[in-house]
Amino acid sequence: MRKVMRVVNRAQCTGCYSCMYACSRTYFHIATTKLSAMRVKNYPGVEGAFSIRICTGCAHPDCAAACPTEALTVRKDGGVIFHEEKCIHCYKCVEACTLNAMQWDPIAREPLVCHQCGICAEYCPNGVLALVEVEDDE
Amino acid sequence: MTNNKIMRIDLSSFKSEVYEDPKLFGKYLGGTGVATKLLYDMNIKNIDPLSPESPIILAIGPLNGIYPIATKTIAMFKSPLTGNLGESHAGGRLFMSMYDAGLSAIVIAGKSPYPVFIVIKDEEVEFHRAYSIWGQSALATERILHSRAEGVGKRSIIRIGPAGEHKSLMANVSVDTGRHFGRLGLGAVFGSKNLKAVVISGSKRHKTENFAKFNKIYNKIFWDAVKSPAMKKYHNLGTPQNVLPLNKINSLPTRNFSQGFFENAEALSGENMSENYLAQQIACANCPVGCIHLGVLREPFEDNIHYKSFKIPYDYEPIYAMGTNLSISTPEALLKLLYIVERAGWGVMETGVTLSWATEAFERGIIGVKETDGLVLNFGDFETYEKVLYNMWNMKNEFYGDLNNGSAFCAEKYGGKEFAINFGKNGSPGYITGRDAFLGFLMGVRHSHLDSAGYSLDEKIIKGEMSEDPSAEVDLLIKEEEWRFILNSLTICLFARKIYTEDLVLEALDSVGIHRKSEQLKNLSRRIHALKYKIKIDNGFDLDKLEFPEKLYRVQTGRGKMDKGVVRKMISDYTSKIREIIREAEDE
């Protein structure tokens, strides 16, 4: 068993971005949504529809498979580990992620990799996100 | 963030520039303080609000983008509705996009020779032709620009609907989803400049000065907001939580302020709306509260075999303005009216006050079917109000064109001033609690219930938590308004005013390198008060001619009937204090 991030109640999202602020704050010490390893997308109009793109820590990550230099390696408990020194800034990992969950830092020209830590879920006021237990091969 | 960058955009020449003004921001912090000083220095006295020279100022403060619930953007302009200080505040994502672009203020002047929308990406400005979206509703415009106008980060889209294009004096500017610069006619200023929309985004990230300190304060505010029962209420029922309590104390304006009790309040209550019509709550960026309530209206079409659904934002003030005060009894009818207002892009409060004036004017025979083109206006008649709104949208005849200009304009032209319930020409907010609410609307710099919240004093007196004292009541109103100038300079949502105490404000400012003492904030707020009033007086706001609408003396408020003599004395007491505040500032 391992614990990974899941969107458990998408329709409860209010679009406050507290999750993205929490992620950027924790890993970069900056008040912004821009350095978050996830994204809340919003749709136009008063519909108020949000789609949450979060790394679900797949056992067979597309991003790592697409990386030509092994800068992303499979993490034992799900998701990937980023080896910055190997990154050639090719953006292939972002393109490979079907969920569009892998985010990009355009200044460092590097992927923003989710650590499966759950800080985003901790700051979600509406129970949209959670760290959940899954089987090892899920 | 440096918190001192101003972008100036000239629509006449399609040019823009960005410059820093550390002195201005050093003295006035940001938001309402900075915007007031900018407007004051522009000397707008002889400028027509709808002329090319008339400026639009947007400003945020030093805590926006950093701490939770500092979510507002201040718009400042010369109001075409009142002719003097125009100021309106909106939430949404606008503050965040400005912060991401590194812009603390944006000043737009000039007039484009043809319809345009502006796209701001960091410090770059693009001007695009807007012929094809001119005439589109405020909602459609957002949908179109969302897919058409790329950004360099999370975008905020602010735009006008047909009302702004017509230069309706009560036109608003819609901000993202369900938020608005609703009051005092900013939409008309956009329309007069041929400006349909502004799309803003930024790619910048700003270093945190002292992370440990920032993190501590962030967490305090965030968890206070998430856990406090008061803030929970804003999320659960939202501002419509006020409908039933106000009705209970005879303070819910009904049928053009004829009484404070609405027999169908239950139907329009926050409780009923939440239980049966609420689709979802949404939030401004960086606010865990999520107070924006979207109601859903489901309707059959084509022989009842197809259905369509609309999501429509609702709040307490729209419920009062288009609901109780027009005697609209069902949520379905209310939501339909709100949907038209939302699409047209009118400020909902002025629209409701103008329709309620028109209905009473019709009842009294001041206007008739000649003006209304055959429509018979009756309180409670939703279908006729629907037609009236579309006639206003299409400017069907002179009368419907006039309704676009608000209650003060119409009463001046057709009569019925005594029952045109506006203060300083701005349609009344939804409280009939008593004299302190009205005094706040009359004397507050933007004639808003959010200036000094006099209704809250009335409620305390009704509940016996405070005793009547005309002189103390005036002092409390001024004190409250002046503290709010500080919150509005930091553009903190006023719903979080109990979290953002003076101590917390000083600590938060300190954490971003702005070191102030309590006394300095007091002096600043007084100075802001003086400048705002100087702008008002310079532009025709006459302290010697201030009155409540006559009708209000005849109705039973929450606190009972008002004594005209006492009220007159309070107004004169208040104006002397305003004069004193202006004199003190001039002596400095």
Side-chain angles (χ1 to χ4, degrees):
Chain A
M1 297 289 273
R2 59 200 179 94
K3 277 191 158 184
V4 287
M5 285 306 305
R6 287 287 184 271
V7 179
V8 290
N9 285 304
R10 185 202 65 84
Q12 286 174 207
C13 178
T14 64
C16 70
Y17 307 155
S18 297
C19 49
M20 293 197 286
Y21 278 108
C23 184
S24 306
R25 196 167 62 245
T26 303
Y27 291 98
F28 292 89
H29 288 196
I30 292 180
T32 182
T33 58
K34 292 180 184 301
L35 291 166
S36 166
M38 58 161 303
R39 191 166 177 84
V40 176
K41 287 170 76 79
N42 37 324
Y43 294 92
V46 289
E47 291 83 1
F50 302 101
S51 180
I52 297 107
R53 306 304 169 87
I54 191 162
C55 175
T56 52
C58 13
H60 308 284
D62 297 329
C63 53
C67 178
T69 61
E70 294 181 336
L72 294 173
T73 54
V74 179
R75 184 173 161 270
K76 187 170 108 340
D77 289 326
V80 289
I81 297 167
F82 179 51
H83 308 280
E84 195 177 6
E85 70 287 356
K86 290 187 185 168
C87 180
I88 55 166
H89 319 292
C90 67
Y91 202 67
K92 288 209 165 75
C93 51
V94 174
E95 288 169 344
C97 179
T98 306
L99 301 174
N100 277 339
M102 177 70 89
Q103 301 301 312
W104 185 253
D105 177 344
I107 295 174
R109 294 170 49 240
E110 283 173 6
L112 293 161
V113 171
C114 174
H115 298 77
Q116 303 293 329
C117 72
I119 192 79
C120 50
E122 206 176 295
Y123 279 86
C124 175
N126 298 298
V128 175
L129 306 167
L131 262 183
V132 298
E133 280 199 351
V134 296
E135 295 297 332
D136 288 342
D137 56 353
E138 248 182 71
Chain B
M1 179 169 162
T2 43
N3 182 44
N4 62 30
K5 272 193 185 167
I6 302 175
M7 170 181 270
R8 282 191 190 250
I9 298 173
D10 178 16
L11 284 168
S12 300
S13 62
F14 294 144
K15 285 197 173 124
S16 67
E17 57 162 341
V18 174
Y19 63 97
E20 296 191 15
D21 193 340
K23 210 173 141 204
L24 173 68
F25 284 86
K27 185 158 182 186
Y28 290 92
L29 295 173
T32 207
V34 160
T36 301
K37 176 68 170 143
L38 281 169
L39 191 71
Y40 180 77
D41 288 346
M42 286 171 189
N43 191 17
I44 52 168
K45 189 172 176 180
N46 297 314
I47 291 179
D48 177 338
L50 300 181
S51 67
E53 299 75 41
S54 185
I56 297 164
I57 302 166
L58 302 174
I60 59 171
L63 303 182
N64 291 102
I66 299 174
Y67 289 116
I69 337 185
T71 49
K72 296 280 185 179
T73 303
I74 308 298
M76 191 92 53
F77 49 100
K78 181 163 180 174
S79 167
L81 185 75
T82 66
N84 60 72
L85 180 74
E87 176 173 357
S88 195
H89 305 174
R93 288 187 299 276
L94 179 55
F95 79 87
M96 186 176 78
S97 298
M98 284 178 66
Y99 177 78
D100 287 349
L103 300 171
S104 296
I106 298 171
V107 180
I108 304 172
K111 179 186 178 178
S112 165
Y114 52 82
V116 289
F117 66 91
I118 298 176
V119 179
I120 300 172
K121 296 174 184 167
D122 291 327
E123 296 183 11
E124 299 297 316
V125 183
E126 300 165 4
F127 300 87
H128 296 273
R129 288 155 62 93
Y131 282 108
S132 59
I133 50 171
W134 202 254
Q136 294 278 1
S137 75
L139 297 181
T141 302
E142 194 208 15
R143 288 195 293 271
I144 293 162
L145 292 181
H146 194 273
S147 56
R148 179 71 188 172
E150 294 286 319
V152 289
K154 286 269 183 204
R155 285 167 295 170
S156 178
I157 302 176
I158 68 174
R159 69 282 174 187
I160 56 171
E165 296 170 13
H166 293 153
K167 301 190 258 297
S168 159
L169 302 187
M170 57 192 194
N172 70 13
V173 172
S174 297
V175 177
D176 303 319
T177 303
R179 299 292 89 183
H180 315 84
F181 290 117
R183 310 233 65 193
L184 298 169
L186 181 61
V189 185
F190 268 53
S192 74
K193 299 185 175 312
N194 276 328
L195 178 59
K196 180 71 176 169
V198 184
V199 183
I200 305 176
S201 64
S203 67
K204 295 187 182 141
R205 51 186 86 146
H206 311 283
K207 276 269 169 239
T208 312
E209 281 214 4
N210 177 339
F211 180 74
K213 206 166 175 181
F214 152 72
N215 204 29
K216 186 175 144 250
I217 299 170
Y218 184 100
N219 278 300
K220 176 174 171 22
I221 299 167
F222 184 91
W223 294 112
D224 270 4
V226 170
K227 289 176 180 159
S228 102
M231 298 306 269
K232 267 215 169 68
K233 270 192 187 169
Y234 282 121
H235 178 70
N236 294 348
L237 299 182
T239 52
Q241 66 181 291
N242 288 327
V243 171
L244 292 180
L246 284 170
N247 200 44
K248 205 169 174 182
I249 57 169
N250 249 331
S251 298
L252 181 64
T254 301
R255 291 181 282 279
N256 198 29
F257 284 77
S258 293
Q259 58 187 60
F261 174 83
F262 183 50
E263 59 281 7
N264 290 309
E266 198 77 43
L268 304 189
S269 65
E271 289 80 353
N272 189 45
M273 294 297 289
S274 273
E275 210 174 310
N276 296 305
Y277 298 89
L278 179 61
Q280 66 184 112
Q281 289 100 327
I282 59 169
C284 296
N286 212 1
C287 173
V289 177
C291 77
I292 307 169
H293 284 58
L294 300 180
V296 70
L297 182 66
R298 186 169 167 264
E299 276 191 330
F301 67 104
E302 276 189 31
D303 301 330
N304 295 349
I305 51 168
H306 286 65
Y307 279 86
K308 54 186 173 182
S309 299
F310 309 97
K311 281 188 192 171
I312 303 149
Y314 66 82
D315 255 304
Y316 171 73
E317 299 292 341
I319 289 176
Y320 131 74
M322 299 303 293
T324 66
N325 206 36
L326 295 177
S327 205
I328 295 298
S329 309
T330 68
E332 287 84 358
L334 170 72
L335 289 171
K336 275 176 115 165
L337 294 178
L338 292 180
Y339 187 55
I340 302 169
V341 172
E342 183 79 36
R343 288 171 62 224
W346 286 301
V348 67
M349 292 159 76
E350 187 66 43
T351 307
V353 169
T354 305
L355 291 186
S356 62
W357 164 84
T359 312
E360 186 162 344
F362 193 95
E363 276 180 356
R364 291 169 183 250
I366 291 171
I367 55 168
V369 288
K370 189 166 125 300
E371 283 79 14
T372 62
D373 196 35
L375 294 180
V376 176
L377 304 187
N378 283 304
F379 285 113
D381 180 359
F382 146 73
E383 284 177 5
T384 300
Y385 285 132
E386 200 178 20
K387 288 179 190 143
V388 168
L389 289 174
Y390 281 119
N391 287 346
M392 288 166 62
W393 183 321
N394 297 317
M395 313 276 277
K396 191 168 184 193
N397 63 16
E398 187 183 336
F399 175 69
Y400 289 113
D402 290 338
L403 287 184
N404 268 291
N405 291 331
S407 59
F409 178 93
C410 289
E412 185 71 40
K413 179 165 171 177
Y414 296 91
K417 263 191 193 173
E418 66 279 13
F419 57 84
I421 312 299
N422 58 68
F423 295 84
K425 298 188 184 169
N426 191 34
S428 179
Y431 303 88
I432 189 167
T433 46
R435 67 193 184 200
D436 291 345
F438 299 145
L439 198 58
F441 305 156
L442 185 68
M443 302 303 300
V445 291
R446 50 193 179 117
H447 308 291
S448 161
H449 56 297
L450 295 168
D451 282 331
S452 52
Y455 56 88
S456 148
L457 293 184
D458 287 332
E459 285 174 85
K460 279 186 189 152
I461 291 166
I462 293 167
K463 288 178 192 155
E465 292 166 10
M466 204 179 108
S467 48
E468 295 211 3
D469 178 343
S471 164
E473 289 164 40
V474 168
D475 288 341
L476 285 170
L477 287 172
I478 294 175
K479 190 177 168 207
E480 182 65 24
E481 181 162 16
E482 292 193 343
W483 170 242
R484 289 178 181 218
F485 292 141
I486 298 301
L487 294 178
N488 294 337
S489 294
L490 310 175
T491 77
I492 289 158
C493 176
L494 292 171
F495 291 169
R497 63 188 177 271
K498 289 191 177 133
I499 295 175
Y500 276 94
T501 59
E502 188 183 72
D503 284 346
L504 182 70
V505 164
L506 290 168
E507 209 186 331
L509 281 174
D510 189 65
S511 78
V512 296
I514 299 172
H515 313 295
R516 291 285 184 282
K517 294 195 174 77
S518 169
E519 199 55 31
Q520 289 171 299
L521 293 187
K522 277 192 190 79
N523 292 339
L524 174 62
S525 64
R526 196 129 270 225
R527 183 161 179 79
I528 293 170
H529 204 175
L531 285 184
K532 284 178 189 290
Y533 251 99
K534 281 173 85 161
I535 294 172
K536 290 181 78 66
I537 292 167
D538 275 353
N539 289 280
F541 187 76
D542 190 344
L543 285 177
D544 294 323
K545 287 188 182 152
L546 298 178
E547 296 272 11
F548 288 177
E550 194 61 30
K551 177 176 180 175
L552 297 177
Y553 290 111
R554 296 197 302 271
V555 301
Q556 198 73 27
T557 72
R559 285 172 66 181
K561 277 201 180 178
M562 292 185 293
D563 181 319
K564 203 170 181 175
V566 175
V567 168
R568 283 258 161 90
K569 171 84 184 47
M570 288 173 86
I571 294 175
S572 116
D573 189 17
Y574 208 129
T575 52
S576 317
K577 286 184 171 152
I578 293 293
R579 286 195 171 98
E580 183 60 34
I581 289 166
I582 296 172
R583 244 193 323 273
E584 273 173 25
E586 278 167 352
D587 289 345
E588 263 178 37

